[in-house]
Amino acid sequence: MKLSREELKGLMKGKLMQAGLHEDHAETTAEILMWAHERGYYSHGAVRVEYYSERIFKGGITVEPNITWKQTGPCSGILDGDNGIGFVVAKEGMKKAIEMAKENGIAVVGMSNLSHSGSIGYYTEMAADEGLCAISFCQSDPMAVPYGGAEPYYGTNPISFAAPTADDRTVVFDMATTVQAWGKILDKRSKHQEIPADWAVDEHGAPVTDPHKVNALVPIAGAKGYGLMMMVDIFSGILLGVPFGGHVSSMYHDLSEGRRLGQMHIVIDPERFCGADQFMKTMSACLDEIGEIKPAPGFDKVNYPGERAKMRMDKAYATGGVDVADELVEYLKGEPVHFDRYDHKNRFAD
C-alpha cells in the first residue's frame, strides 16, 4: 500500500500517542521515523512503531522526562535524557552541538540515559543542513559476536557522518558495525524471507539463514568491524559513564524497564579550518568526480553516501507515496491499542 508522507506520519504519531507519548514527543519521533522510511530504511521506519509503543505503554520509556543539560567545557557537554524517548533526546543533543560548534568551532556532546534513537543519520544531517560536519556514535545492546567469539557482547553500534556541499547535495553515511542491523532481521521475519548466510549466527556461532534462528549478528569485515564496535562503545558508553558492552540493557527483554543508553555527537565548523566556502565547493567537486568514475559491471554509476536514499525518496513521492505493508497499516489504524508482541526469548514474536 502507498501512503503520502502526511498520512504515514500521522498514523505513526497517533499510535505513539495512543500508547501514552505526549504530542510534541510523538511529533518528533514520527518525523524521524518518517525520515528513515521515506528513504527506504524500512527497518528503522514505520515497522518500529509497534516496539516503541509497547515500551511506552509498559512504562519502559519516561513520557515526562526531566531532560537536563550540563556544559562541561566551552566545547563539551552532556544531556541527561532521564530515560525519555531517544529521538527527542538525540535531536536536542544535536541542537546543543550545532549551537556550540557555531560559537566555538567544534562541539562534543554526549547524551546519557536515553532510549533507542532510531536512524542516527537524521541527526548528522541536521548539522550538515547548517553548513557543519558531524559524526555520531550510538551504543546498543549485546546482539553481535566479537571477532572470534560465539557469544554476543557488543551491539550493532552504528556510526554516521554527514557533510554539506555548495549545492543541494548532502553526504549522509549511516551504518551499523554489523553486516546488517537487527531491524533487517525483523524486516525479513515480518516478510517471511530468508537472510544471507553472512548476516548472523545461531547459538553455536554457526551461520544461519532462517531469521527466526538468529542468536547474534556478526561484525562487518571481521576483526575490523569488531574494532569499530569497540570504538563506538568507548565513545558513547564508557566515556559517558553508562553501561558498556555486555552490560547494556536489552532492547527487547523487559519493556517495562528503562535502558540508560549513551550516544555521542561530534560537530565541526569547517569555517575554522579550510573555510566554509572552500570546504563546500571542494565537497561538490569531490562528488562530481566520484560521479564521473567508470562504474563496475552491474552498476549504473558510483553514488555518494546518501544519494541512493534521496533517489528512493524522490521516486516514491513521484509514484504516489511510500510503500507500507498492509498489515502494518492495519496495525497503525487499529483500535484499541494492543501491546503484547515482544517477548524476552525471541525478541520479536510473530
Side-chain angles (χ1 to χ4, degrees), residues 29 67 80 97 137 143 159 161 164 166 168 207 227 272 304 316 334 336-337 349:
T29 301
I67 300 172
D80 189 316
F137 310 102
M143 57 176 68
I159 301 170
F161 73 83
D168 63 349
R272 308 300 182 102
Y304 62 86
V337 181

Side-chain angles (χ1 to χ4, degrees), residues 99-119:
E99 179 183 352
M100 191 178 290
K102 286 183 175 180
E103 181 176 352
N104 296 312
I106 190 168
V108 182
V109 172
M111 291 131 286
S112 62
N113 301 318
L114 72 160
S115 63
H116 190 257
S117 62
S119 183

Side-chain angles (χ1 to χ4, degrees), residues 235-299:
F235 274 77
S236 60
I238 295 175
L239 193 60
L240 297 178
V242 296
F244 65 94
H247 304 280
V248 178
S249 63
S250 171
M251 185 167 181
Y252 298 102
H253 283 198
D254 188 349
L255 273 66
S256 67
E257 294 290 330
R259 300 211 54 210
R260 295 195 63 208
L261 296 179
Q263 188 165 344
M264 181 74 79
H265 298 321
I266 301 173
V267 179
I268 301 169
D269 183 358
E271 182 62 34
R272 308 300 182 102
F273 294 87
C274 66
D277 288 344
Q278 179 180 329
F279 176 84
M280 290 190 282
K281 288 178 182 177
T282 305
M283 280 296 304
S284 290
C286 174
L287 299 192
D288 289 341
E289 292 180 3
I290 288 173
E292 293 171 359
I293 292 174
K294 180 181 177 180
F299 291 85

Side-chain angles (χ1 to χ4, degrees), residues 167-172 287 290-291 301-310:
D167 46 66
D168 63 349
R169 293 173 293 181
T170 302
V171 172
V172 183
L287 299 192
I290 288 173
K301 63 169 293 190
V302 179
N303 298 109
Y304 62 86
E307 184 175 13
R308 289 184 299 169
K310 186 177 185 303

Side-chain angles (χ1 to χ4, degrees), residues 17-37:
M17 290 177 66
Q18 282 182 22
L21 202 61
H22 293 319
E23 183 175 6
D24 55 344
H25 286 192
E27 169 70 25
T28 297
T29 301
E31 173 60 32
I32 300 172
L33 288 169
M34 192 68 235
W35 182 93
H37 197 99

